[in-house]
Amino acid sequence: MTADRPKPSARVFCIANQKGGVGKTTTAINLAASLAMHGQRVLLVDLDPQGNATMGSGIDKNGAALNLYQVLIGEATVAQARLRSEAGGYDVLPSNRELSGAEIDLVGMDDREKQLKTALETVGDDYDFVLIDCPPTLSLLTLNGLAGAHGVIIPMQCEYFALEGLSDLVNTIKRVYRNLNPGLELIGLLRVMFDRRVTLQQQVSAQLESHFGDKVFKAIVPRNVRLAEAPSHGLPGVVYDKTSRGAKAYLAFGEELIRRVGGRVRRRAA
Ligand code: ATP
Ligand code: MG
């Protein structure tokens, strides 16, 4: 190891699933905090006008002077708009409903799907991981996320219709791969809100493992009320109650992801 070897720039991952309410934002927030606790430098990009990832990180979405909207339309840089989540130990590129206007403003721009990618390139060296919390749509915003990412992490509930939705999403990823971003990879599927007492969930989980093999993360996030309570306190679940089963699962997931991408788990911050 030589000291002057260039630092690898951030790995950029979208947390995506076009199905609503499946646990994308909960995963984005808790993975960001978990990676930070494992010593990683993390930026969480809130690509959803709902602003849930912003609020759940303890940042007032309407109080931020600048947000992702200004970044996407070229009126601010990521360095100007990012804020620190003191609660989570990571940076946040905040959003609020203003971001829905970006859909319209982007349509007339050249390289309209590449605006986020271009913006993130300016801060790539500041982070080990950039996580993008996608909205529950396959909109121009989500395309900006997928076009700017190295990989996609798909949180999913082990229900019957989840598998159907999954094939739509995998097809979208393939289309983005062919047309916009040949570097895009499926990083893995994360089972969330899992209840092992439900036979159907066990069956779907087993089907996922047989279809997707190693692409299914070993960590499984249980349904856990502490994770659902945490956002109302402006805290990631892994900070709000780190002894809860949900927190332990996200801490294990962070470690698994670091190892999967060949990173090094560093000593956990106190
Ligand atoms: P949207 O599609 O609207 O962006 P989402 O996919 O981001 O939704 P979340 O907002 O993370 O989903 O979760 C939906 C709801 O489920 C929230 O109320 C959240 O607190 C709750 N939830 C998420 N994960 C868990 C879990 N493991 N255990 C219990 N509740 C959970
Ligand atoms: Mg969400």
Side-chain angles (χ1 to χ4, degrees):
M1 285 279 217
T2 54
D4 55 1
R5 180 185 284 186
K7 276 186 300 176
S9 65
R11 291 175 175 93
V12 182
F13 295 149
C14 279
I15 318 293
N17 190 327
Q18 78 279 22
K19 218 168 165 251
V22 292
K24 294 180 288 296
T25 301
T26 304
T27 296
I29 292 170
N30 284 289
L31 178 59
S34 165
L35 291 171
M37 285 176 166
H38 292 309
Q40 310 294 306
R41 300 164 306 157
V42 182
L43 173 67
L44 173 57
V45 178
D46 190 348
L47 191 56
D48 188 339
Q50 294 180 98
N52 293 344
T54 303
M55 297 294 280
S57 300
I59 292 168
D60 175 8
K61 64 182 176 185
N62 296 318
L66 294 168
N67 61 51
L68 179 57
Y69 171 73
Q70 283 91 16
V71 173
L72 287 179
I73 62 167
E75 286 184 357
T77 63
V78 177
Q80 288 167 333
R82 67 186 163 190
L83 293 171
R84 184 76 177 162
S85 166
E86 296 299 340
Y90 53 84
D91 288 350
V92 177
L93 192 46
S95 285
N96 58 32
R97 55 201 294 205
E98 229 184 320
L99 183 62
S100 43
E103 289 276 349
I104 298 159
D105 295 328
L106 285 170
V107 168
M109 292 169 82
D110 292 338
D111 278 340
R112 58 191 176 188
E113 302 93 353
K114 303 259 175 81
Q115 297 304 310
L116 182 61
K117 178 184 167 75
T118 307
L120 289 176
E121 277 165 2
T122 62
V123 294
D125 290 339
D126 297 354
Y127 301 102
D128 300 302
F129 289 91
V130 174
L131 303 178
I132 304 173
D133 182 32
C134 290
T137 53
L138 293 175
S139 58
L140 193 46
L141 285 173
T142 303
L143 280 182
N144 261 270
L146 294 172
H150 301 119
V152 186
I153 294 169
I154 304 177
M156 57 181 301
Q157 296 179 46
C158 290
E159 289 165 351
Y160 178 71
F161 288 116
L163 291 174
E164 202 172 289
L166 190 58
S167 59
D168 290 345
L169 186 54
V170 169
N171 284 333
T172 302
I173 293 171
K174 284 185 187 155
R175 289 216 308 277
V176 172
Y177 172 85
R178 279 197 301 269
N179 297 316
L180 285 176
N181 179 3
L184 189 66
E185 246 190 287
L186 172 61
I187 303 299
L189 305 170
L190 176 69
R191 290 162 285 184
V192 297
M193 295 194 226
F194 192 74
D195 187 342
R196 63 189 151 81
R197 294 165 304 181
V198 179
T199 310
L200 177 65
Q201 294 208 11
Q202 285 183 8
Q203 288 168 348
V204 172
S205 173
Q207 271 178 352
L208 278 180
E209 285 172 350
S210 70
H211 274 76
F212 290 93
D214 283 352
K215 291 287 181 192
V216 182
F217 289 108
K218 295 204 167 32
I220 299 180
V221 179
R223 187 171 281 284
N224 179 250
V225 68
R226 305 299 268 169
L227 291 174
E229 287 167 2
S232 64
H233 299 268
L235 294 171
V238 295
V239 174
Y240 174 62
D241 181 358
K242 63 179 174 209
T243 64
S244 66
R245 289 187 312 124
K248 284 180 180 159
Y250 275 117
L251 287 169
F253 175 46
E255 191 163 341
E256 185 180 355
L257 183 67
I258 296 168
R259 294 195 195 286
R260 183 170 288 206
V261 302
R264 211 154 47 91
V265 176
R266 298 185 202 115
R267 197 152 45 85
R268 213 176 275 183

